[in-house]
Amino acid sequence: MRRRRVGFALGAVAVLTAAGLLGAQAPPPGGSGPAAAPQGPPPAASTPAPPPAPSAPAAASQPTQRPSFRGGVDVVSLNVTVTDQSRNYVTSLEQGDFVVFEDGVKQDVTYFNKAQLPIALSLLIDTSASMEDKLRLAQEAAIGFVRRLKPDDIAQIIDFDNRVSILQQFTSERPALETAIRQTVPNGSTSLHNAIYISLKELKKVRATTSGDVRRQAIVVLSDGEDTSSLVPFEEVLDLAKRSEVIVYTIGIRGRDLGARGFPEAEFVLKQFAQETGGRAFFPTGATELDAIYAQIADELASQYALAYSSRNPRRDGQWRRIVVRTTKPALAARTKQGYFGPVN
């Protein structure tokens, strides 16, 4: 088990450099996962110009029907959660029960899977000084969450105060994850944006090599207050999250040292990360509720549907496109990410 600490130098260029160095130092993770569909592999026509006739058939022979989340640059992949009126998860729907709209235009669902996919999870724990009275309960709840993961799932542990530390790289070894969680110590201020930024970059390295390696990717972040020390701005991290295929779940506990203004700002930030990526934001009144919240998140990740469609929008302008998913059953509610950025030339 290795502990890596990432410090941020002053200035936006230094922030990006620090993130790049982190990527260079990290060995390839043990799992693989889905990448953003709008960033899929270029079409065959974009490969270097071949000699005349012989190589054209080879380009045309690329597989097109493999159940992959990267079927093309215009393929949009979605993780969809469906609940009934009692907020129970519904897992028995079929492809024909879903209707997908992009900017108000109905889309044709071309891929559907309701089988549980393995997960690549980044677990973020706020270890700022204000967490001192809550950290022990937070540790036990996080360990309980790790124990709910399936054998094929992989996870990493990141803690953050004024700096960000990767306590455990992606692994399926539960004892290593538990040891990393127990090593967290409260100290310093809160760099929430930095932590989410780094975890998104780490998850981007988790790539599928075959269609059988596809993983659902998620971040679960626990924090007790407003960001006070990040150098990466909220807007930049949110934009990165919206361009990813990562679902973000946030848990916000009011810190003991926050005034009337502090937590509403933190609450807004945590809600935005969750809503834009199709996750959920939780705001417990105390650390004793954390175990039940982590259980809800684990159940949700195990209950989601995977859908994909080829966008009817031919424009390649890189603009934001709004997504709405509904079911044909009025009593059920579907939730997914709120949109994506279209492809560009």
Side-chain angles (χ1 to χ4, degrees):
M1 193 277 293
R2 299 191 308 167
R3 178 187 183 98
R4 298 214 320 275
R5 185 168 288 277
V6 182
F8 283 78
L10 292 175
V13 174
V15 170
L16 295 177
T17 302
L21 288 175
L22 175 63
Q25 294 168 0
S32 55
Q39 302 297 322
S46 67
T47 56
S55 57
S61 66
Q62 294 179 351
T64 57
Q65 299 185 9
R66 181 177 60 185
S68 168
F69 286 99
R70 294 178 59 85
V73 293
D74 296 326
V75 172
V76 183
S77 61
L78 305 174
N79 296 304
V80 182
T81 302
V82 180
T83 54
D84 61 20
Q85 293 177 326
S86 300
R87 304 199 72 173
N88 298 313
Y89 298 114
V90 178
T91 60
S92 58
L93 300 183
E94 301 296 337
Q95 180 171 331
D97 296 320
F98 291 91
V99 185
V100 179
F101 297 90
E102 178 183 296
D103 289 337
V105 178
K106 186 178 178 181
Q107 308 293 314
D108 293 329
V109 176
T110 56
Y111 173 73
F112 174 82
N113 186 358
K114 63 179 180 179
Q116 183 177 348
L117 295 175
I119 298 167
L121 173 76
S122 187
L123 185 58
L124 279 57
I125 303 174
D126 184 344
T127 55
S128 58
S130 58
M131 281 288 294
E132 183 173 6
D133 61 331
K134 301 179 285 289
L135 189 57
R136 185 184 63 80
L137 288 174
Q139 288 173 332
E140 295 306 316
I143 288 171
F145 178 54
V146 164
R147 290 175 178 172
R148 291 185 180 94
L149 298 177
K150 305 299 183 185
D152 291 339
D153 296 337
I154 59 173
Q156 70 171 176
I157 307 299
I158 296 178
D159 77 344
F160 61 96
D161 39 58
N162 56 301
R163 303 181 72 182
V164 180
S165 298
I166 301 177
L167 303 182
Q168 173 60 55
Q169 285 285 7
F170 284 106
T171 181
S172 59
E173 298 296 325
R174 302 300 179 260
L177 295 169
E178 294 181 22
T179 298
I181 292 170
R182 294 192 189 279
Q183 286 190 337
T184 54
V185 178
N187 180 57
S189 53
T190 304
S191 55
L192 172 66
H193 306 161
N194 288 357
I196 295 178
Y197 181 90
I198 287 174
S199 62
L200 286 166
K201 291 292 187 179
E202 289 288 293
L203 281 164
K204 193 174 182 180
K205 303 171 191 175
V206 182
R207 300 284 187 176
T209 56
T210 69
S211 59
D213 286 340
V214 172
R215 290 181 182 273
R216 182 171 289 122
Q217 297 189 343
I219 293 172
V220 179
V221 55
L222 168 68
S223 184
D224 75 338
E226 176 187 1
D227 189 301
T228 55
S229 57
S230 285
L231 292 179
V232 185
F234 163 68
E235 293 78 9
E236 181 178 339
V237 185
L238 182 62
D239 181 80
L240 183 63
K242 290 162 69 174
R243 293 179 186 275
S244 75
E245 293 297 324
V246 178
I247 313 166
V248 181
Y249 294 89
T250 58
I251 307 170
I253 306 177
R254 181 183 294 274
R256 64 187 179 189
D257 56 349
L258 287 177
R261 184 191 65 85
F263 198 73
E265 182 174 334
E267 186 173 310
F268 170 79
V269 167
L270 295 174
K271 282 182 176 179
Q272 285 294 104
F273 279 121
Q275 291 173 357
E276 292 289 350
T277 61
R280 287 181 64 186
F282 300 85
F283 298 98
T285 57
T288 55
E289 300 176 44
L290 290 177
D291 191 62
I293 290 173
Y294 279 127
Q296 289 184 57
I297 296 172
D299 289 344
E300 178 164 316
L301 288 170
S303 305
Q304 289 172 330
Y305 300 86
L307 278 67
Y309 68 92
S310 296
S311 175
R312 294 181 179 272
N313 185 344
R315 295 190 298 274
R316 309 183 68 81
D317 52 12
Q319 295 300 304
W320 179 252
R321 301 177 181 182
R322 182 67 61 180
I323 295 174
V324 174
V325 176
R326 296 174 181 163
T327 74
T328 57
K329 303 179 185 303
L332 303 182
R335 170 165 44 85
T336 191
K337 63 183 180 182
Q338 295 193 351
Y340 74 103
F341 290 97
V344 294
N345 289 326

